[in-house]
Amino acid sequence: MPRHSVTLIPGDGVGPEICEASTRVLEATGVEFDWDIQQAGENVMAEHGTPLPKHVLDSIRRTGVALKGPITTPVGTGFRSVNVALRQELELYACVRPIKAYEGARNLRDDLDFVIIRENSEDIYAGIEFERGTPDCDRLLSEISQLSGKRIQPDSGLSIKPISVSGSERIVQYAFDYARQYHRRKVTLVHKANIMKHTDGLFLAVGREVAQRNSDLQFEDRIVDNMCMQLVLRPTEYDVLCCPNLYGDIISDLGAGMIGGLGLAPGANIGVNGAVFEATHGSAPKYTGQNKVNPMAVMLSGVLLLRHLQEVEAGDALESAIAGVIAEGRSLTYDLKADRNDPTAVGTSQVADAIIERLEAAA
Ligand code: NAD
């Protein structure tokens, strides 16, 4: 079996402990890794003058794949989110978030199995913003008023929402490719084209064109507000959802809530210059160093990583070991318990021990 070079970014907050638990279970599958450990975030600012040093990006460009813990974005310091910067620098344009109900988890219902493909680089998340009252904002406000013939309140701030033909084409094609690779049947494009004709409308029009070239799979579209209701009422009718950035962000958390919370919501950011696997959740700073939070979202991101590396059998084995531990219900962290103060909840590292025990028993 080949060894795999993988960049490991432990992150901060609870990141290092959940990454340690996750690398232990990944190694217990028998797949061999050379971890290139790289630090990013506020803690490296003093030494490197940036929260995302060039050598971290170079490592991912070299290995092509990273497992990443969450990284805190300090409020009010002016530095960009490392997580967003990483996606932009490496052009990680597709965020993949499977929503799958595991037996024994606190699911809304037990037959949930759909995947959210979120566009990662455009939309209101592009970070093009103008602060209320600044000369640039005032200039833009008057320019827009002139061009559109509509008056905007002079005390407004502005966030710009660009959606391009090329960006839309790339993400919708990715959604079809993903559906085909993972034996799914349908892509549903999510939008608000009835209101935002030149951004969401463009996304939908391009999506329809791409669908014509992928006619072996079903295609449909849903307006985002209806999509949210449909997911709660009739989730099994949906398979792969393809969303612009903001709706993908919101629907991801809706989905995470449907399967018992952020502790079970994995993710992958796939792009031109590599793939970064990370949980949907953040660094939960109040639990740092307490061996308390659920490592399963990072572990399930590790399952996606294994499949990405073509280690499909190992990925399946790890997923079924995690599912077994959830179904058994003995070695679960507080967030998977009905009562968050349940004294039978175990810690982060005990979850890893229980999963490793299952992997070893199945081997
Ligand atoms: P968060 O996801 O860190 O935590 C919110 C709450 O969810 C926690 O207090 C905890 O109760 C629960 N939670 C989260 N992960 C859990 C786990 N694995 N097990 C059990 N419970 C869990 O969200 P936040 O508090 O909004 O963000 C904290 C920091 O993380 C912020 O600085 C934010 O910018 C950053 N963040 C980073 C990423 C990333 O690295 N990709 C993603 C989201 C947020």
Side-chain angles (χ1 to χ4, degrees), residues 55-130:
H55 56 257
V56 179
L57 293 166
D58 288 345
S59 168
I60 304 173
R61 287 194 182 101
R62 183 177 62 76
T63 61
V65 52
L67 182 67
K68 175 183 164 297
I71 295 176
T72 307
T73 306
V75 178
T77 58
F79 91 56
R80 273 201 308 170
S81 157
V82 172
N83 311 303
V84 176
L86 200 58
R87 288 170 205 161
Q88 289 176 347
E89 293 285 342
L90 296 173
E91 267 196 81
L92 305 175
Y93 64 90
C95 180
V96 180
R97 287 180 171 163
I99 303 294
K100 184 165 172 183
Y102 292 102
E103 186 199 332
R106 296 168 48 68
N107 303 317
L108 193 61
R109 45 193 275 177
D110 288 334
D111 55 358
L112 298 169
D113 184 10
F114 57 91
V115 179
I116 299 160
I117 308 279
R118 170 188 175 196
E119 204 289 326
N120 242 350
S121 65
E122 304 199 304
D123 195 357
I124 210 87
Y125 266 71
I128 308 166
E129 299 204 289
F130 296 88

Side-chain angles (χ1 to χ4, degrees), residues 68 70-73 83 278 281-284 286 293-294 334 340:
K68 175 183 164 297
I71 295 176
T72 307
T73 306
N83 311 303
E278 64 176 337
H281 66 73
S283 57
K286 68 180 176 198
V293 302
N294 193 348
Y334 76 97
R340 290 169 83 84

Side-chain angles (χ1 to χ4, degrees), residues 46-328:
E47 193 182 342
H48 298 289
T50 164
L52 183 58
K54 185 175 168 294
H55 56 257
V56 179
L57 293 166
D58 288 345
S59 168
I60 304 173
R61 287 194 182 101
R62 183 177 62 76
T63 61
V65 52
L67 182 67
K68 175 183 164 297
I71 295 176
T72 307
T73 306
V75 178
T77 58
F79 91 56
R80 273 201 308 170
S81 157
V82 172
N83 311 303
V84 176
L86 200 58
R87 288 170 205 161
Q88 289 176 347
E89 293 285 342
L90 296 173
E91 267 196 81
L92 305 175
Y93 64 90
C95 180
V96 180
R97 287 180 171 163
I99 303 294
K100 184 165 172 183
Y102 292 102
E103 186 199 332
R106 296 168 48 68
N107 303 317
L108 193 61
R109 45 193 275 177
D110 288 334
D111 55 358
L112 298 169
D113 184 10
F114 57 91
V115 179
I116 299 160
I117 308 279
R118 170 188 175 196
E119 204 289 326
N120 242 350
S121 65
E122 304 199 304
D123 195 357
I124 210 87
Y125 266 71
I128 308 166
E129 299 204 289
F130 296 88
E131 189 182 349
R132 171 191 69 91
T134 58
D136 283 354
C137 190
D138 289 345
R139 199 171 122 205
L140 202 49
L141 283 171
S142 78
E143 194 87 9
I144 292 170
S145 293
Q146 266 181 23
L147 289 171
S148 68
K150 291 186 178 147
R151 184 176 180 275
I152 310 176
Q153 290 292 351
D155 55 350
S156 301
L158 289 171
S159 298
I160 307 292
K161 173 180 164 125
I163 290 193
S164 69
V165 170
S166 50
S168 303
E169 211 162 43
R170 160 165 100 163
I171 193 68
V172 181
Q173 185 57 52
Y174 181 83
F176 277 107
D177 292 343
Y178 179 95
R180 204 169 284 116
Q181 185 179 354
Y182 291 98
H183 311 294
R184 293 191 173 261
R185 64 185 196 285
K186 181 167 79 171
V187 172
T188 304
L189 182 142
V190 182
H191 63 87
K192 189 84 184 173
N194 51 332
I195 304 296
M196 284 162 278
K197 299 188 193 318
H198 301 301
T199 46
D200 289 28
L202 179 149
F203 187 68
L204 175 59
V206 171
R208 285 181 173 148
E209 277 173 33
V210 175
Q212 281 181 3
R213 300 199 292 269
N214 292 271
S215 55
D216 55 318
L217 292 164
Q218 295 171 48
F219 176 79
E220 63 181 8
D221 68 276
R222 290 283 179 276
I223 293 178
V224 61
D225 35 357
N226 181 32
M227 186 76 251
C228 291
M229 187 180 68
Q230 295 286 328
L231 281 181
V232 175
L233 293 179
R234 278 186 284 279
T236 54
E237 287 179 17
Y238 298 93
D239 200 2
V240 174
L241 309 184
C242 182
C243 310
N245 210 334
L246 178 65
Y247 310 146
D249 187 26
I250 296 166
I251 290 180
S252 295
D253 268 38
L254 171 66
M258 293 166 78
I259 52 161
L262 288 169
L264 291 178
N269 295 290
I270 311 282
V272 180
N273 297 307
V276 176
F277 295 81
E278 64 176 337
T280 300
H281 66 73
S283 57
K286 68 180 176 198
Y287 295 128
T288 303
Q290 292 181 24
N291 188 39
K292 181 169 170 91
V293 302
N294 193 348
M296 286 176 170
V298 178
M299 291 174 174
L300 290 166
S301 306
V303 169
L304 305 180
L305 181 150
L306 285 169
R307 292 185 181 135
H308 179 84
L309 294 173
Q310 310 296 331
E311 297 285 2
V312 177
E313 242 176 72
D316 291 349
L318 178 52
E319 185 180 19
S320 71
I322 295 169
V325 167
I326 299 171
E328 183 195 45

